[in-house]
Amino acid sequence: MAQCVAGAQPTYRRELARHAGREIDTAGDGFFASGFDGPARAIRCGCAIRDAISDLGLGIRIGVHTGECDIVDDKLSGLAVNIGARVAAQAEEGEVLVSGTVRDLVAGSGIEFESRGLRELKGLGEWPLYSVAEASAS
């Protein structure tokens, strides 16, 4: 899940294609992507989108979570989608924020994190969140 200003669509679509992601939905200034072969690739894509959009003078907030999703009429839904949206809502401008689930799954990937502590995710309780400090190429 990410939120950015209008006009950034070509940039994020290019990075999604480069990182084997798939655009699922857009709404207003946000977009939702999935289809990555793992959470490390999703993080690296998020960082690439953030950096490319920053070069344009635009801001973005990105949240990454992974989990089981329901598929109905080519749309993803379920708790994992809700968590991802709430993680993105907690991100600061220019930040790629991930859930503790994602951080645990990418251990050994070369991605470094800074703890943002426990954050209340609306309707979901407190979750440990981490900001991506460095995402070295794989």
Side-chain angles (χ1 to χ4, degrees):
M1 305 296 273
Q3 292 181 320
C4 64
V5 298
Q9 290 90 351
T11 300
Y12 77 73
R13 287 185 174 130
R14 181 182 62 246
E15 292 301 333
L16 280 176
R18 192 167 74 89
H19 289 87
R22 184 169 61 99
E23 182 178 320
I24 302 297
D25 201 4
T26 60
D29 64 352
F31 67 93
F32 174 40
S34 186
F36 301 97
D37 66 2
R41 185 169 290 226
I43 291 169
R44 289 186 175 100
C45 181
C47 290
I49 291 170
R50 177 202 57 207
D51 296 346
I53 287 176
S54 174
D55 290 345
L56 298 174
L58 305 174
I60 189 168
R61 301 178 305 149
I62 297 173
V64 180
H65 180 67
T66 187
E68 294 293 321
C69 297
D70 299 319
I71 303 172
V72 178
D73 297 328
D74 285 338
K75 298 281 185 180
L76 296 181
S77 63
L79 185 59
V81 174
N82 294 335
I83 293 167
R86 285 167 174 78
V87 170
Q90 292 285 324
E92 299 292 328
E93 185 175 313
E95 184 175 45
V96 177
L97 196 65
V98 307
S99 66
T101 304
V102 168
R103 192 226 30 191
D104 292 346
L105 288 172
V106 301
S109 67
I111 299 173
E112 296 179 22
F113 300 94
E114 294 176 2
S115 176
R116 293 296 181 247
L118 290 175
R119 299 276 183 94
E120 180 71 26
L121 301 184
K122 184 178 177 183
L124 301 169
E126 290 186 330
W127 282 68
L129 299 182
Y130 300 85
S131 183
V132 176
E134 183 177 333
S136 60
S138 59

